[in-house]
Amino acid sequence: MLDPLGPYCDNITDYRLSYYLILAPVCNYAKGKWVVDNRRPLYSGFGCKQWLAPMWACSLMQRQDFTFEKLRWQPKGCEMEEFEGPKFLKRQDKTLAFVGDSLGRQQFKFLMCMITAGKDSSDVLDVGNEYGLVLPPGSIRPNGWAYRFLSTNTTVLYYWSSGLCELEPLDVKDPQTEYAMHLDRPPSFLRQFLHKIDILVLNTGNHWNRAKLRANRWVMYVGGAPNTNKKIANMGRAKNFTIHNTVKWLDSQVPKHPQLKAFYRSISPRHFVNGDWNTGGSCNNTKPMSIGKEVLQEGSSDHAAVSAVRWTGVKLLDITALSQVRDEGHISRISITSSPGVQDCLHWCLPGVPDTWNEILFAQI
């Protein structure tokens, strides 16, 4: 009988180690509970000003209750390695890229604060120009940012692509032009720079509504022409169609880029009560209701994400259910960017819940 481990084991120690790795259960980081940890937060909400987006710093917006900063996610039946900036940076000559919407941008910003412990760092160089991430004329911000830690040549970047598909202006000479939203094409940024990326985290979800498409002048295209398929025209189906196409394309690229570890992050929950963002919806709870409440479901709540990554080389970064029980962690009514009476029950206070998303990502890579 052939040894199933044969060519991979040079001695009995290797054999036992390999046998253990085969039998050892894989930790399901999505199952567990939030526990109080007085060592938290990992950085101060009053610091991290080098990377801080003021609209997400609830400490600077006079939030009164900060119990939410003291919670740590405890996976059920296993331990999650403590995140430390120096440990993360030991992955030398690596590039980690976030590609997605404003919640992907939050995850990126939170990670920069986590790596630097919220302190200004002279070790970091802005390398956005290497990835075309520069401020376009007339824009209030670039399409993303890229920063390199010089001591280890580690790069962390974010590229804005709220729909995870290619956007093409229909008339480049017209500043009010419509844009073809190619549902069956991945963002050109990925096609151009995938070879430079070692760890990739994708996300989309909350921009898939008619109001967003109208405001951005986006028109759905499939096969290079305006979409005529009524099934795809439905917003939910259009989103799922796009996610599947982008993940399928990425899966086809994995063999060409053996260094690449690719993740699709499940959707971040909204916590609007008694309305939506534009109809008086609120999320006024400020004290954690999740302490000790276990999340025990086996599968992800984001069924579209599960379906998209199934049988592919793209892994699921499942954060939906564990974030669902953290309704007190949103910016809520203290937002400094929204209109009067409008609450932000979508984005998260910094530091906060997305720190845990990054801890789980760190554990999986």
Side-chain angles (χ1 to χ4, degrees):
M1 179 177 177
L2 292 175
D3 181 351
L5 302 175
Y8 301 101
C9 301
D10 295 330
N11 54 51
I12 190 66
T13 301
D14 286 345
Y15 182 92
R16 287 173 178 163
L17 177 60
S18 299
Y19 185 72
Y20 169 77
L21 291 174
I22 288 174
L23 295 183
V26 176
C27 182
N28 181 354
Y29 295 106
K31 293 173 63 175
K33 61 184 178 181
W34 292 97
V35 297
V36 176
D37 187 339
N38 287 322
R39 297 172 298 172
R40 299 287 165 132
L42 298 174
Y43 54 92
S44 171
F46 293 100
C48 202
K49 293 182 179 179
Q50 190 172 359
W51 322 112
L52 186 64
M55 60 184 176
W56 296 332
C58 294
S59 299
L60 303 180
M61 292 187 283
Q62 291 78 49
R63 178 166 175 157
Q64 299 300 311
D65 190 294
F66 295 95
T67 312
F68 75 98
E69 292 185 353
K70 294 294 184 182
L71 298 189
R72 172 177 57 83
W73 178 249
Q74 174 60 60
K76 186 175 180 62
C78 54
E79 294 296 324
M80 189 160 61
E81 183 178 4
E82 190 78 17
F83 184 96
E84 295 178 10
K87 284 184 181 179
F88 179 88
L89 292 176
K90 281 184 179 179
R91 295 170 170 82
Q92 298 189 9
D93 301 312
K94 300 293 184 182
T95 296
L96 166 58
F98 295 95
V99 176
D101 59 22
S102 59
L103 286 155
R105 179 158 67 107
Q106 278 209 301
Q107 190 173 359
F108 158 74
K109 293 282 188 178
F110 280 51
L111 181 59
M112 290 299 296
C113 292
M114 292 169 71
I115 296 173
T116 60
K119 299 175 182 177
D120 288 356
S121 175
S122 59
D123 182 45
V124 184
L125 179 67
D126 185 337
V127 293
N129 61 319
E130 293 184 17
Y131 298 88
L133 303 176
V134 295
L135 186 66
S139 299
I140 59 174
R141 67 172 67 97
N143 286 331
W145 297 267
Y147 298 108
R148 181 165 298 136
F149 291 82
L150 299 176
S151 59
T152 60
N153 201 39
T154 305
T155 303
V156 182
L157 68 85
Y158 163 78
Y159 177 75
W160 182 85
S161 179
S162 61
L164 279 189
C165 59
E166 175 66 7
L167 291 174
E168 179 186 24
L170 296 179
D171 184 354
V172 294
K173 297 179 180 179
D174 180 6
Q176 298 300 314
T177 185
E178 292 184 326
Y179 289 79
M181 188 182 189
H182 295 286
L183 306 184
D184 50 354
R185 297 182 193 173
S188 58
F189 180 86
L190 287 179
R191 299 198 303 269
Q192 185 176 358
F193 294 107
L194 190 64
H195 67 285
K196 299 180 67 172
I197 298 172
D198 300 285
I199 302 161
L200 175 64
V201 182
L202 305 176
N203 92 284
T204 188
N206 290 293
H207 277 252
W208 290 89
N209 61 74
R210 294 291 175 190
K212 289 287 187 182
L213 263 65
R214 285 195 298 269
N216 290 313
R217 300 187 298 277
W218 293 347
V219 180
M220 293 184 189
Y221 269 55
V222 176
N227 175 53
T228 57
N229 186 324
K230 292 184 179 180
K231 290 184 178 180
I232 297 177
N234 172 276
M235 294 303 294
R237 290 181 178 178
K239 181 193 76 172
N240 294 345
F241 177 80
T242 302
I243 295 171
H244 276 74
N245 273 281
T246 297
V247 170
K248 182 179 179 182
W249 172 84
L250 185 57
D251 181 56
S252 74
Q253 300 301 304
V254 170
K256 304 175 186 177
H257 305 286
Q259 87 289 353
L260 179 65
K261 291 183 179 180
F263 297 85
Y264 181 82
R265 201 207 73 214
S266 66
I267 197 165
S268 174
R270 297 150 44 97
H271 286 97
F272 290 98
V273 177
N274 297 324
D276 211 323
W277 69 271
N278 57 349
T279 57
S282 64
C283 47
N284 291 322
N285 180 39
T286 58
K287 295 187 178 180
M289 305 295 288
S290 58
I291 298 175
K293 182 179 180 181
E294 289 191 297
V295 175
L296 297 176
Q297 63 190 52
E298 291 298 330
S300 175
S301 304
D302 189 344
H303 303 297
V306 173
S307 175
V309 303
R310 185 180 290 125
W311 311 121
T312 74
V314 180
K315 295 181 179 181
L316 180 66
L317 180 58
D318 185 14
I319 57 85
T320 303
L322 65 90
S323 304
Q324 186 67 54
V325 295
R326 292 298 310 277
D327 65 321
E328 88 295 349
H330 291 292
I331 296 170
S332 186
R333 61 181 178 274
I334 63 172
S335 173
I336 61 175
T337 58
S338 61
S339 303
V342 176
Q343 294 197 16
D344 188 343
C345 305
L346 171 64
H347 298 100
W348 303 90
C349 285
L350 176 151
V353 174
D355 294 326
T356 295
W357 305 351
N358 285 324
E359 289 181 284
I360 295 174
L361 174 64
F362 179 67
Q364 291 188 230
I365 61 178

